[in-house]
Amino acid sequence: MNELDAIDAAIVNALSIDVEDYFQVSAFANHIPRDSWDTQPCRVEANIDRILTLLRDANVRATFFTLGWIAERYPGVVRAIVDAGHELASHGYEHRRASEQLHGNFIADIRLAKAVLEDISGQAVKGYRAPSFSIGPANPWAFDCICAAGYRYSSSIYPIRHDHYGVPDAPRFAFEVRKGLLEVPVTTVRVMRANWPAGGGGYFRLLPYGVSSWSIRRVNEVDRQPAMFYFHPWELDPDQPRVPGVSAKSRLRHYLNLKHTEARLRRLLADFRWDRVDRVYMNGGH
Ligand SMILES: [Zn+2]
């Protein structure tokens, strides 16, 4: 098999972006009150522009899990995403962890986000991702809400051990979590009888690029499964305002290697095949 045939035969992975601004991340929730969000300098518009350019250059389509809060204030961002052929999906409205909400508030939030996104884009929204992968054994009812709100798939579980999230014994690959609802966990690699993060986020910036590419290749070639990878717009933005007063650990996680993210993503997009989540997992997106 020559090199081009090998690329053609390679598994197509799912690429996703969680569309939120730097002041909305869960780790900063105690430092930036929600009622000040409207007065924070906005970086998401420019950062989405950079991402759309990056994806256009690589000829890759992706899925954008977008906050309703962002969509309402920056409808142009939503239209630019959809016009470029990407999939629009939901990250909820207010970026509250599912694990910190009551049933009624959670379903209202994800219904509102879906309605806002569909109204602006004119397209059906099929996918949902919970903020901070906040669905686990303590709140399985959240999947019933996601179903009831009309979503067809979720990507809300990260099967690792982490201090803020993670369900280490959850299935590692896509599974029907409720009738008609597919859960697509963020990708892990199985090494020494444990799951290690391989699906992006902070780990993609903290670890050398070779670790990420080895892990995804192993998932494709050994598990014979697509990878589900994610990143955030603020991860490509080394010049974002610094949030004062946060712990050293949160600072490290949020700010490390921001200036290298874009170049790393360009490598990642070139080294593997990528597409929208609906096309990778939902029979061609229908
Ligand atoms: Zn988020």
Side-chain angles (χ1 to χ4, degrees):
M1 195 189 283
N2 69 33
E3 202 174 322
L4 280 177
D5 288 340
I7 290 171
D8 275 350
I11 285 180
V12 179
N13 300 291
L15 185 66
S16 65
I17 297 100
D18 290 359
V19 181
E20 64 200 40
D21 220 332
Y22 64 97
F23 51 82
Q24 296 174 311
V25 304
S26 301
F28 294 163
N30 294 330
H31 303 277
I32 304 178
R34 284 170 185 277
D35 59 11
S36 77
W37 282 3
D38 267 318
T39 62
Q40 302 292 334
C42 165
R43 310 284 296 184
V44 78
E45 285 181 292
N47 290 332
I48 291 291
D49 266 356
R50 291 174 75 174
I51 293 170
L52 292 175
T53 302
L54 184 76
L55 296 175
R56 192 177 60 226
D57 291 351
N59 194 24
V60 165
R61 303 290 175 277
T63 293
F64 288 70
F65 291 97
T66 305
L67 281 185
W69 191 96
I70 293 282
E72 259 183 354
R73 283 157 183 82
Y74 308 103
V77 166
V78 171
R79 283 191 285 269
I81 289 168
V82 170
D83 287 350
H86 303 292
E87 181 191 8
L88 185 68
S90 163
H91 196 31
Y93 186 86
E94 282 204 303
H95 209 254
R96 288 186 195 275
R97 286 184 177 139
S99 50
E100 292 170 2
Q101 292 188 86
L102 299 173
H103 186 284
N105 297 339
F106 177 69
I107 196 164
D109 179 277
I110 64 176
R111 278 199 164 122
L112 175 61
K114 191 169 189 287
V116 166
L117 293 165
E118 291 184 342
D119 198 39
I120 295 169
S121 68
Q123 296 192 357
V125 166
K126 300 182 284 287
Y128 169 75
R129 172 170 289 152
S132 304
F133 308 108
S134 51
I135 303 182
N139 58 349
W141 50 262
F143 285 119
D144 301 312
C145 295
I146 297 169
C147 256
Y151 294 98
R152 305 259 316 280
Y153 74 85
S154 153
S155 178
S156 302
I157 288 180
Y158 207 157
I160 53 164
R161 237 171 256 292
H162 183 283
D163 53 350
H164 292 160
Y165 52 74
V167 186
D169 55 354
R172 290 177 53 226
F173 299 111
F175 64 105
E176 194 173 39
V177 63
R178 293 288 183 275
K179 194 166 171 33
L181 182 72
L182 193 72
E183 167 61 30
V184 187
V186 174
T187 292
T188 56
V189 65
R190 187 91 185 148
V191 179
M192 295 188 299
R193 293 195 292 171
N195 297 345
W196 302 88
Y203 301 103
F204 183 65
R205 287 180 288 118
L206 303 178
L207 303 173
Y209 173 76
V211 175
S212 291
S213 63
W214 179 87
S215 303
I216 292 171
R217 192 154 285 125
R218 193 171 163 91
V219 167
N220 286 171
E221 292 175 359
V222 177
D223 297 309
R224 300 299 302 160
Q225 291 279 346
M228 165 61 104
F229 189 91
Y230 82 104
F231 63 98
H232 301 93
W234 54 263
E235 290 187 274
L236 287 81
D237 184 7
D239 302 323
Q240 66 192 273
R242 294 304 188 258
V243 176
V246 297
S247 71
K249 189 163 79 172
S250 291
R251 242 185 356 254
L252 178 78
R253 279 181 179 165
H254 190 91
Y255 297 118
L256 191 77
N257 287 337
L258 292 177
K259 62 180 183 296
H260 301 304
T261 312
E262 186 166 344
R264 280 190 183 189
L265 284 170
R266 282 188 190 274
R267 271 183 88 176
L268 188 76
L269 295 185
D271 286 352
F272 297 91
R273 296 181 71 196
W274 299 98
D275 205 348
R276 303 158 38 140
V277 176
D278 59 351
R279 288 208 284 252
V280 173
Y281 291 100
M282 306 283 293
N283 300 325
H286 302 300

